[in-house]
């Protein structure tokens, strides 16, 4: 079972609090027993010495002063005397030459009572138990203990914010993560939070610079593409006109794809889910590729036409990139697409990969031995899109065929 750091610290301090209270209680009890033992000894000594004086007929003239030598004093409070008589517990009693001598326990204290025919006196001890100093020490220790507990929890406050900021940062949300005037604390946690804030600010600046650079380039490219598209309409030769229009349309689609890729890489793209038949998604991918010989090079076997809940444009881009990669790296420039209720399979004939498929799924990785051009973002983007849709992208190689499988499980196949 996992517990938070604050819970563990609280448990440790709770155990420490119990241990300290127990130790002080035991020390308090031992100190009290020691004082009671000393009082009992003073009672015995005072009576023994008094009996010795009585036998010598040399009784003290000042009784109060005599008992003071044994740290004893008269109980002069009448109410206290009555309470001792009425509620005290008799500990011991002795019949002596000077009268009956009783030791009485009342409210955790010992009193000495001497009673004869002429007088009854009650004596109490003047020894200081030291309990006040023990209690003061206990209060000081507890105050320090609680102050340390509060101080540690205050030190953990930046850690909680750091955890929240890291989650936002991982999700691509930079708002509130980078603080310009971040105050640096004196403890290690505050220093870590300070360094993370500095790193987040630098990364945020880099991402903003990259976004600004890419968006500026895409904006600048759209202007000549738009002008070229207008000029192409003025060409009289219909064949050349259609070719130029197709080229500029293709360039415009590429710019839009780059915009989606930039948003994916910066994690600022939000999915627009809806249900679409795979055949419709495949038609969109086909339009995006702008291949005149698509049907002659790509064979499609729809064992079923599942209804997929996806972002139409984004998932079409993933299918388009898979088909595009399959055509690029196919020995015979042929691709087979198969679809059922659980998977989408795209196969092509080719040589085995030099490295594992995980190597080629990284960003900006491409097969240098191939003549195919590109930035090496194909598989990286495809896997990223599949992951965003909670689909899995698997790869197999058997009998000279590469096969990429998008697995989405059994879905609702009713009519949309």
């Amino acid at each position: 079972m996992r517990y938070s750091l604050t819970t563990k610290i609280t448990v440790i301090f709770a155990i420490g609090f119990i241990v300290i209270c127990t130790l002080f209680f035991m020390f308090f009890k031992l100190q009290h027993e020691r004082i009671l033992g000393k009082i009992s000894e003073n009672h015995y000594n005072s009576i023994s010495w008094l009996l010795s004086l009585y036998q010598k007929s040399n009784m003290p003239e000042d009784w109060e002063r005599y008992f003071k030598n044994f740290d004893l004093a008269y109980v002069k409070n009448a109410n206290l005397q009555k309470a001792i008589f009425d509620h005290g517990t008799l500990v011991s009693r002795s019949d002596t030459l000077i009268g009956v001598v009783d030791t009485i326990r009342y409210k955790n204290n010992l009193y000495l009572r001497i009673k004869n025919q002429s007088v009854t006196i009650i004596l109490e001890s003047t020894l200081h138990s030291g309990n006040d100093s023990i209690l003061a020490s206990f209060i000081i220790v507890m105050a320090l203990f609680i102050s340390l507990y509060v101080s540690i929890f205050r030190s953990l406050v930046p850690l909680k914010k750091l955890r929240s900021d890291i989650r936002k940062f991982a999700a691509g949300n930079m708002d509130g993560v980078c603080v310009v005037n971040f105050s640096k604390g004196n403890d290690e946690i505050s220093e870590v939070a300070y360094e993370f804030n500095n790193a987040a600010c630098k990364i945020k600046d880099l991402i903003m610079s990259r976004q600004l650079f890419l968006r500026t380039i895409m904006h600048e490219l759209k202007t000549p593409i738009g002008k070229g598209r207008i000029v192409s309409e003025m060409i009289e030769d219909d064949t050349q006109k259609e070719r130029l229009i197709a080229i500029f349309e293709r360039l415009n689609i590429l710019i839009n794809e780059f915009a989606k890729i930039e948003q994916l890489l910066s994690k600022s793209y939000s999915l627009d889910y809806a249900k679409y038949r795979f055949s419709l998604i495949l038609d969109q991918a086909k339009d995006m590729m702008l291949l005149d010989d698509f049907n002659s090079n790509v064979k499609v076997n729809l064992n079923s036409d599942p209804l997929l809940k996806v972002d139409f444009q984004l998932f079409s881009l993933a299918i388009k990139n898979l088909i595009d990669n399959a055509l690029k790296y196919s020995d015979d420039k042929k691709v087979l697409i198969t679809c059922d209720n659980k998977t989408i399979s795209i196969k092509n004939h080719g040589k085995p990969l030099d490295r594992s498929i995980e190597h080629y799924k990284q960003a900006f990785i491409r097969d240098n031995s191939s003549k195919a051009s590109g930035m090496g973002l194909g598989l990286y983007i495809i896997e990223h899109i599949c992951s965003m849709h909670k689909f899995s992208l698997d790869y197999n190689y058997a009998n000279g065929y590469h096969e990429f499988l998008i697995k989405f499980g059994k879905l609702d196949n009713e009519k949309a």
Side-chain angles (χ1 to χ4, degrees), residues 239-305:
T239 302
Q240 296 296 329
K241 178 179 179 179
E242 290 178 0
R243 287 178 180 176
L244 284 174
I245 290 174
I247 289 172
F248 285 116
E249 289 293 339
R250 172 62 175 164
L251 288 173
N252 193 50
I253 291 173
L254 285 174
I255 293 296
N256 293 331
E257 286 184 18
F258 285 146
K260 287 188 178 68
I261 290 172
E262 187 274 329
Q263 289 176 334
L264 282 175
L265 293 176
S266 61
K267 297 182 179 181
S268 60
Y269 188 90
S270 57
L271 294 177
D272 182 15
Y273 284 110
K275 290 184 178 181
Y276 301 94
R277 294 290 179 185
F278 174 70
S279 56
L280 183 62
I281 297 171
L282 186 60
D283 288 339
Q284 175 67 11
K286 177 181 176 181
D287 293 339
M288 293 168 69
M289 294 183 70
L290 295 174
L291 292 177
D292 296 332
D293 54 352
F294 182 89
N295 292 328
S296 60
N297 293 332
V298 180
K299 183 180 179 182
V300 180
N301 291 333
L302 292 181
N303 298 326
S304 63
D305 193 7

Side-chain angles (χ1 to χ4, degrees), residues 21 79 188 302 330 368 390:
C21 290
N79 293 329
E188 290 80 358
L302 292 181
S330 174
N368 293 326
K390 309 300 181 184

Side-chain angles (χ1 to χ4, degrees), residues 22 118 206 215-216 268:
T22 303
S118 59
L206 288 173
R215 289 171 184 176
T216 301
S268 60

Side-chain angles (χ1 to χ4, degrees), residues 19-248:
V19 170
I20 291 174
C21 290
T22 303
L23 290 175
F24 267 96
F25 176 77
M26 293 176 63
F27 184 71
F28 180 87
K29 187 175 181 180
L30 289 172
Q31 178 70 3
H32 185 68
E33 293 295 331
R34 187 184 70 82
I35 293 297
L36 290 180
K38 181 65 176 175
I39 293 172
S40 181
E41 182 181 349
N42 287 343
H43 289 181
Y44 177 80
N45 290 336
S46 66
I47 298 301
S48 296
W49 187 254
L50 188 61
L51 288 173
S52 175
L53 293 175
Y54 180 78
Q55 290 175 353
K56 296 177 182 180
S57 299
N58 189 22
M59 296 296 284
E61 296 180 0
D62 189 346
W63 290 84
E64 188 172 355
R65 183 176 181 182
Y66 168 80
F67 284 113
K68 186 177 181 182
N69 293 327
F70 297 95
D71 297 316
L72 297 173
Y74 289 118
V75 176
K76 298 178 181 180
N77 190 313
N79 293 329
L80 179 57
Q81 288 182 4
K82 187 176 185 305
I84 294 171
F85 281 131
D86 296 339
H87 305 292
T89 302
L90 182 64
V91 177
S92 65
R93 170 170 287 181
S94 300
D95 288 327
T96 66
L97 296 175
I98 62 174
V100 179
V101 178
D102 295 332
T103 300
I104 301 173
R105 189 183 190 102
Y106 176 72
K107 288 188 176 180
N108 291 324
N109 205 350
L110 291 176
Y111 296 89
L112 182 64
R113 182 175 66 176
I114 302 174
K115 183 179 180 181
N116 54 36
Q117 294 179 351
S118 59
V119 70
T120 298
I121 61 173
I122 298 178
L123 300 166
E124 63 180 347
S125 176
T126 58
L127 289 175
H128 295 290
S129 64
N131 292 340
D132 293 340
S133 60
I134 295 174
L135 181 60
S137 300
F138 176 76
I139 293 174
I140 292 172
V141 171
M142 283 295 101
L144 292 174
F145 194 77
I146 295 173
S147 298
L148 180 61
Y149 179 75
V150 173
S151 176
I152 291 175
F153 260 78
R154 285 181 178 176
S155 298
L156 292 177
V157 171
L159 186 62
K160 293 181 180 179
K161 185 179 184 303
L162 179 62
R163 180 178 61 182
S164 175
D165 289 346
I166 289 174
R167 287 178 178 174
K168 291 180 182 178
F169 189 81
N173 182 10
M174 293 290 183
D175 296 335
V177 176
C178 175
V179 180
V180 178
N181 296 320
F182 190 88
S183 58
K184 184 177 181 181
N186 297 323
D187 57 273
E188 290 80 358
I189 296 176
S190 297
E191 290 178 358
V192 171
Y194 177 78
E195 294 301 331
F196 172 78
N197 181 76
N198 287 344
C201 289
K202 291 179 181 179
I203 293 174
K204 181 180 180 181
D205 291 339
L206 288 173
I207 291 175
M208 291 181 65
S209 298
R210 187 198 68 186
Q211 290 176 343
L212 180 61
F213 175 73
L214 291 175
R215 289 171 184 176
T216 301
I217 290 177
M218 288 185 288
H219 177 73
E220 293 299 325
L221 286 175
K222 279 185 174 289
T223 301
I225 290 173
K227 291 181 178 179
R229 178 68 174 80
I230 294 173
V231 172
S232 63
E233 295 287 348
M234 302 178 183
I235 297 177
E236 295 180 357
D237 190 327
D238 292 339
T239 302
Q240 296 296 329
K241 178 179 179 179
E242 290 178 0
R243 287 178 180 176
L244 284 174
I245 290 174
I247 289 172
F248 285 116

